[in-house]
Amino acid sequence: MTVSLLMLLLCPVATALLVLLFRSSSEHTTSRWIALMGAILTLLLSLVVASDFQATGVKDRFAASSDQLAPVNPVTVLRHTWMSFGQDSGKTVELEFFLGLDGISVAMILLTTVLTISSVLISWESIKDRAAEFYACLLFLEAGLIGVFCAFDLVLFYVFFEFTLLPLFFMVGIWGGPQRRYAAVKFFLYTLVGGLITLLGLVYLVTAVASTPGVAISQTAFSIPDLARHLTRFPLSDEVQFWLFLAIAAGFMVKVPLFPFHTWLPLAHVEAPTAGSVMLAGVLLKLGTYGFLRLLLPIVPVACLETGLPLIGTMSVIGIVYGSLCALAQRDIKKLVAYSSVAHLGFCMLGLFALNTEGIAGGVLQMINHGLSTGALFLIVGMIYERYHTRQLDDLGGLANRLPLMSCAMVFVAMSSIGLPMLNGFVGEVLSLIGMFKAGPIYAVIGASGVVLGAWYLLTMVQHGFFGPLREPKHGHGDHHEPVTDITPREMVALAPLMALCLWIGVTPQPTLDLMRPDIEAVAKLYTQGPPRAVKPADAEFRITAAETVAPAAGSHQ
């Protein structure tokens, strides 16, 4: 598995360098074929890694007692120390190139590699200017995303987390729409500032752990699994956890994005090329939810329970309602889908901060579902724009008469995003709401309104754009001299796998849930039993006690 994962991480990088090396006068043709072959090879390697993990890691983790599962317990693939310091103080701290896998990271890596192929294919004809640089940025972005999902050292995680800003910044700023530079700078500044606050929180976390009285910590300060295991036995004080939660969560809240940190997202989506929107909505936004799940839930459980549940719950339901109403008011289809992401990511966060097995499972599954359905929506919007050079609903109507296959695909994907039973969105939303109903019924009740609002704005978009009398713009390819064509084989290859996965997860969600279940249960177990608290008696002896009272999220319902 070590070789497979290293090859998976390096394959997009090597392909990006190869694309840049073989630029020529017909670079858009050469570059796209090299990029496509590299993306396909990366997908095959991800399937090999998933198969190896399924054959070894999952069976071992299911065989273990639930009491033996640490909050973060990956299958270690490669762990190599590349820097060590503090020997003179007696508390050696090591920075490691620590790669590992758990069920959640495997699922997110597969999502990344699938969407990358779709992004290459959808850019086939639309990206001709500086195509080599564009595909190199796309492949570097894929490598950074894979790195985030398999990094289990705090420093390595943060490096990959911040690295993903650069490729997307250039994709938006160079190949985007009329306001591309403003959108790219706004995206970069928002996420960079949030990331710097997160960095300060991580530094404070390591310092607080290393200076814990009476606790000798060695070689674990930056290892996420060791850190989580250590803090389960020797938790930080409630006050320290509170400030750590606010600091570390800052970058993740911007990345999700949660209301009111969402203002960079609609403009970035509208101005980004189609591939940029697919990767941004499909995977990049999930770095925020993944960060909450990977770092905050297992490391500062008291703060997540007492501060995170009411704070994130409130921000999530506001985001669900506000994002849905904003989507309903849009006449630009791409901006409508962008605001829908604000609403759908609210469901992900509601599930995660239900702090129970059902909610966390729903939140993680909704991360995958949103990547598939919203990624597919952006693909179709890009196809429409290539044909008509407009995304305005007022310019379009009755497209089912002209583009029946594309219209069928749009209806299918819209139903998936709405959460129609037997499609993927239904399972994730239901689990998230069930989990949150047990933890905070008021959040679940208000959040459930997003299901109705989602159906409203998506069905309205489908009705106005695809049904009724045919209405096409007078310019571009919409005139009678150049009739538009329906979905092409290349576009179908880009879209069909996402639609197939939406149907498969909707009909049989259990394999996906089983893949991630040990890791979800390990985190939920912290809250089921009551998060451990640090208590300092008068004699300054350091002891651990269980929480005397547990909020509804940590009740005995599991």
Side-chain angles (χ1 to χ4, degrees), residues 48-64:
V48 171
V49 168
S51 178
D52 290 344
F53 177 82
Q54 187 77 11
T56 57
V58 173
K59 290 182 180 179
D60 294 341
R61 293 151 79 93
F62 270 125

Side-chain angles (χ1 to χ4, degrees), residues 348-359:
C348 296
M349 295 304 297
L350 274 186
L352 294 182
F353 275 85
L355 304 177
N356 50 48
T357 304
E358 299 92 334

Side-chain angles (χ1 to χ4, degrees), residues 73-143:
N73 189 28
V75 174
T76 299
V77 179
L78 176 64
R79 192 169 185 176
H80 175 71
T81 301
W82 58 279
M83 187 183 297
S84 179
F85 55 91
Q87 293 90 340
D88 296 339
S89 65
K91 291 188 177 182
T92 302
V93 177
E94 295 182 349
L95 303 182
E96 300 172 315
F97 192 78
F98 185 176
L99 300 181
L101 292 170
D102 64 4
I104 299 168
S105 61
V106 168
M108 296 308 298
I109 288 172
L110 290 172
L111 175 65
T112 303
T113 55
V114 169
L115 288 177
T116 302
I117 293 179
S118 297
S119 299
V120 172
L121 290 172
I122 200 61
S123 308
W124 204 260
E125 296 294 340
S126 59
I127 302 295
K128 295 181 180 179
D129 182 35
R130 303 176 67 180
E133 289 90 341
F134 175 84
Y135 288 117
C137 286
L138 180 60
L139 292 164
F140 280 129
L141 177 60
E142 180 184 27

Side-chain angles (χ1 to χ4, degrees), residues 112 150 165 184 251 286 326 411 426 437 443 446 471 500 517 542:
T112 303
C150 62
L165 297 182
K286 310 310 181 301
C326 287
V411 171
F426 175 76
F437 192 81
Y443 301 120
I446 299 175
R471 184 171 63 254
R517 182 165 45 161
F542 191 77

Side-chain angles (χ1 to χ4, degrees), residues 4 34 73 93 100 134 158 284 298 352 374 388 400 418 441 444 473 529 548:
S4 300
I34 295 176
N73 189 28
V93 177
F134 175 84
Y158 184 79
L284 202 73
L352 294 182
T374 306
Y388 293 111
I418 289 170
Q529 299 176 351
E548 295 181 0

